[in-house]
């Protein structure tokens, strides 16, 4: 199973992708990897700095949106790109996410940078259950 794929014909000034997972944790991880990959070549980004993300939301779609938006926020405020992620989601009264993302400070001489992602959009944004797997559709504004 692929982790993610870019969708060429969905958005003109944006980047659209689908991400896949056997479970919700893997889906969220692969959504993050696709977002990371849209920003920089992952092979050129070291995992020197660790960032913890703790979020909760009443619905899973909202949690994914918040998670990806937090990654964009950390990129902008801490001037970082990321290459690895670990996600753990539990369902209590709300969905609780604990994630660790790894990356490094942006360095154009050492990293192959791709796009400056501005935001995650709600356009076409959704999570689907397909048989025993999950698929998310995400559009990011660049």
């Amino acid at each position: 199973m692929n982790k993610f794929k870019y969708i060429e014909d969905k958005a003109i000034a944006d980047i659209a992708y689908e991400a896949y997972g056997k479970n919700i944790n893997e889906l969220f991880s692969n959504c993050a990897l696709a977002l990371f990959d849209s920003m920089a070549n992952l092979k050129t980004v070291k995992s020197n700095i660790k960032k913890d993300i703790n979020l909760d939301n009443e619905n899973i779609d909202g949690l994914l949106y918040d998670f990806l938006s937090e990654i964009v926020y950390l990129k902008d405020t801490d001037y970082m790109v990321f290459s690895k992620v670990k996600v753990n989601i539990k369902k209590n009264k709300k969905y609780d996410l604990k994630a660790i993302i790894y990356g490094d400070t942006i360095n154009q001489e050492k990293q192959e940078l791709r796009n400056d992602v501005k935001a995650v959009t709600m356009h076409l944004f959704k999570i689907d259950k397909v048989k025993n797997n999950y698929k998310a559709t995400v559009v990011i504004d660049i």
Side-chain angles (χ1 to χ4, degrees):
M1 173 194 288
N2 291 332
K3 292 183 180 186
F4 62 87
K5 73 174 181 180
Y6 292 107
I7 307 168
E8 300 296 330
D9 59 346
K10 294 280 185 191
I12 307 241
D14 300 326
I15 295 173
Y17 64 85
E18 290 178 348
Y20 312 96
K22 294 177 188 144
N23 55 52
I24 289 294
N25 290 330
E26 185 175 83
L27 177 70
F28 274 56
S29 293
N30 291 338
C31 283
L33 286 173
L35 181 59
F36 299 164
D37 184 73
S38 71
M39 295 182 204
N41 179 338
L42 302 185
K43 293 176 184 169
T44 66
V45 179
K46 295 191 190 281
S47 307
N48 294 334
I49 301 170
K50 172 179 114 169
K51 295 285 182 181
D52 294 309
I53 299 175
N54 297 296
L55 300 167
D56 63 59
N57 199 302
E58 291 180 6
N59 73 57
I60 199 70
D61 292 56
L63 186 64
L64 178 59
Y65 180 85
D66 293 347
F67 175 54
L68 298 176
S69 296
E70 182 69 13
I71 292 168
V72 174
Y73 173 79
L74 289 170
K75 183 248 330 159
D76 290 338
T77 57
D78 295 348
Y79 201 63
M80 289 183 66
V81 285
F82 305 96
S83 57
K84 292 183 183 173
V85 59
K86 290 182 184 175
V87 176
N88 187 357
I89 298 168
K90 293 192 172 148
K91 173 79 165 100
N92 296 311
K93 290 183 181 178
K94 296 180 178 181
Y95 289 95
D96 294 314
L97 174 141
K98 292 189 184 315
I100 303 169
I101 59 176
Y102 301 87
D104 205 355
T105 307
I106 293 173
N107 182 335
Q108 294 179 357
E109 293 176 13
K110 294 183 179 179
Q111 299 154 346
E112 180 187 327
L113 302 177
R114 293 182 172 154
N115 299 288
D116 184 15
V117 175
K118 305 291 187 226
V120 178
T121 73
M122 291 304 294
H123 180 65
L124 303 174
F125 192 91
K126 66 179 176 174
I127 295 175
D128 293 310
K129 187 157 187 183
V130 182
K131 296 184 182 175
N132 292 329
N133 298 307
Y134 291 89
K135 175 178 89 170
T137 304
V138 179
V139 177
I140 50 179
D141 180 28
I142 56 173

